[in-house]
Amino acid sequence: MYFMKKHFIYILTLLILTISLIGSIHQKNDKTDLEKVNLSSDVKRVKTFENVIVKDRELVEELVLDYEYNSNGNLIRELHYSDSNLVFEIDYEYENEYLVRSKKIDKKFGMNSSSSFTNNKDGYPVETILEFEKLSSTKLLSKYDHNNYLKSQKIINGNDTSNIVYTNIYYPNNKIRSIEKIQKKGRKFLSALTKYKYDDEGRISEMLIEIDNSSAVDRKLIIYKYHSNGKAESITEFKNSKLDLVTYFDIHGNEIEIKTYQNASISKWEKFKYSYDDKGNWIEKYFLKMDVGKGDDKLKKYLKHRREIEYKG
């Protein structure tokens, strides 16, 4: 079934609980939720339906997602379905356009949870509290530098505490050049160093991530290319100097092709075909793939998504 896309709050939850070190260039995304998924600003609600394709035949279509947005383009409610049954619901509350609370109701497993945020004047969370039923709450305390990049964080879960320290270096034009992130928990430590390069338009052109887990260092190089309208055209990823993944996008910013590599050869090839409405939002999406490692010799359709989009009046 459809891979349910979690929103930022629950990605943040996962990051805290697993103590991940791979972070984004900024800790508050200045894009609206509509912009993040390449939808126009006048969208109010989107229902996504899924249809599995077997031997070129579409089976029974089912509702999988139902998203509602406020006047600022941010999510106020998301409903996730499986086999036509509601699996979980997330509701969001805002103050002065900044997210301050979210609540997740888990209909399937009963693992209900909530998040609350205390933000600084620029909308960056300085205190985040995550609460799970039948589990202890987790608190995340954050401090920022003059450009609102993270400077330090403390993660508190019961009697367990972990500290993260960031060292941010800037180019003369005040764009971030590198972020070093060191996390300590008892005698253990993990570190991640991310270096950035930019093109003539000020967009990220390269990002190098080096992760040291005390026993080995993993390196990931990401190269970005852009369409003339500023949307990403392709993202190429190298893992420890070997080509790993290439993703291509159309002029709307939607994925149209993904190539996965193993030992310099394509191991998996995926394509996506879209139909758009007159607002430039896709309303049909076909998923095609070829698993070279499993003996596939051509791209085959295996999934279809259809969207019903309601616009603001």
Side-chain angles (χ1 to χ4, degrees):
M1 295 301 293
Y2 182 77
F3 177 78
M4 294 182 178
K5 185 179 180 181
K6 304 294 191 296
H7 189 252
F8 168 77
I9 303 309
Y10 294 97
I11 294 177
L12 177 61
T13 301
L14 182 61
L15 289 176
I16 292 173
L17 295 179
T18 59
I19 316 180
S20 171
L21 278 170
I22 303 177
S24 60
I25 185 171
H26 228 283
Q27 307 309 314
K28 184 194 75 160
N29 196 322
D30 293 322
K31 290 184 176 181
T32 67
D33 290 327
L34 286 174
E35 291 172 329
K36 292 173 192 174
V37 292
N38 300 308
L39 284 165
S40 58
S41 60
D42 54 351
V43 169
K44 180 180 179 181
R45 187 175 183 178
V46 179
K47 289 184 177 182
T48 302
F49 298 83
E50 180 179 273
N51 203 327
V52 176
I53 300 174
V54 179
K55 295 183 179 179
D56 293 327
R57 289 183 57 206
E58 296 182 11
L59 303 182
V60 179
E61 184 181 74
E62 295 180 349
L63 175 66
V64 290
L65 296 174
D66 187 355
Y67 283 10
E68 290 185 58
Y69 300 86
N70 63 16
S71 58
N72 295 317
N74 289 316
L75 275 166
I76 55 175
R77 174 173 292 177
E78 54 180 282
L79 305 176
H80 294 246
Y81 295 84
S82 179
D83 296 325
S84 300
N85 297 312
L86 180 62
V87 178
F88 65 87
E89 171 186 339
I90 308 175
D91 294 286
Y92 303 94
E93 295 180 36
Y94 301 83
E95 290 180 7
N96 300 321
E97 300 183 17
Y98 299 134
L99 182 65
V100 293
R101 278 177 295 277
S102 68
K103 184 176 182 180
K104 178 181 178 181
I105 300 174
D106 189 329
K107 299 286 187 178
K108 188 172 184 179
F109 299 107
M111 289 293 292
N112 300 333
S113 59
S114 63
S115 306
S116 62
F117 303 87
T118 302
N119 304 307
N120 66 15
K121 63 182 179 61
D122 297 314
Y124 294 82
V126 294
E127 181 179 277
T128 303
I129 299 176
L130 308 170
E131 296 182 288
F132 300 85
E133 288 189 4
K134 303 175 184 178
L135 295 174
S136 61
S137 62
T138 298
K139 181 182 289 188
L140 174 64
L141 304 175
S142 304
K143 293 182 179 180
Y144 301 86
D145 68 9
H146 63 289
N147 283 329
N148 274 322
Y149 284 88
L150 279 168
K151 185 168 64 175
S152 66
Q153 289 180 302
K154 178 180 284 188
I155 302 170
I156 305 169
N157 187 284
N159 296 322
D160 207 8
T161 300
S162 179
N163 292 286
I164 308 173
V165 177
Y166 299 80
T167 301
N168 306 320
I169 298 176
Y170 295 89
Y171 286 103
N173 62 2
N174 217 28
K175 281 190 173 292
I176 193 71
R177 181 171 187 167
S178 66
I179 300 175
E180 184 179 31
K181 183 177 181 181
I182 298 176
Q183 181 159 345
K184 296 179 180 179
K185 184 179 180 183
R187 295 183 178 180
K188 296 181 180 180
F189 87 94
L190 292 170
S191 69
L193 176 63
T194 305
K195 299 178 181 178
Y196 302 93
K197 291 184 179 180
Y198 302 86
D199 62 17
D200 294 337
E201 302 294 326
R203 303 168 300 201
I204 296 174
S205 59
E206 288 187 17
M207 186 164 64
L208 177 63
I209 304 169
E210 298 178 344
I211 300 176
D212 185 350
N213 62 5
S214 301
S215 60
V217 177
D218 289 321
R219 292 179 176 86
K220 188 174 186 177
L221 174 65
I222 306 174
I223 299 173
Y224 300 85
K225 292 185 178 180
Y226 299 88
H227 288 289
S228 58
N229 65 356
K231 297 277 189 180
E233 180 180 3
S234 67
I235 299 176
T236 303
E237 301 179 25
F238 296 84
K239 190 174 182 180
N240 294 325
S241 301
K242 295 181 180 179
L243 182 60
D244 185 52
L245 190 71
V246 183
T247 305
Y248 300 93
F249 304 85
D250 63 16
I251 59 172
H252 301 283
N254 297 312
E255 294 176 339
I256 54 173
E257 188 173 5
I258 300 175
K259 292 181 178 178
T260 305
Y261 290 82
Q262 189 171 8
N263 299 323
S265 298
I266 296 176
S267 60
K268 187 177 181 180
W269 185 17
E270 299 171 270
K271 274 196 168 187
F272 312 94
K273 294 183 177 180
Y274 301 89
S275 296
Y276 293 88
D277 64 12
D278 57 3
K279 301 272 190 176
N281 299 311
W282 69 261
I283 50 176
E284 280 191 348
K285 178 181 180 180
Y286 282 96
F287 297 69
L288 301 87
K289 70 176 179 178
M290 179 173 72
D291 285 313
V292 178
K294 295 182 180 179
D296 290 350
D297 58 359
K298 65 178 182 179
L299 286 162
K300 298 176 182 177
K301 289 182 181 179
Y302 71 97
L303 200 64
K304 174 188 174 183
H305 281 177
R306 182 178 65 83
R307 296 202 298 199
E308 292 181 358
I309 302 176
E310 179 183 345
Y311 292 92
K312 297 164 187 173

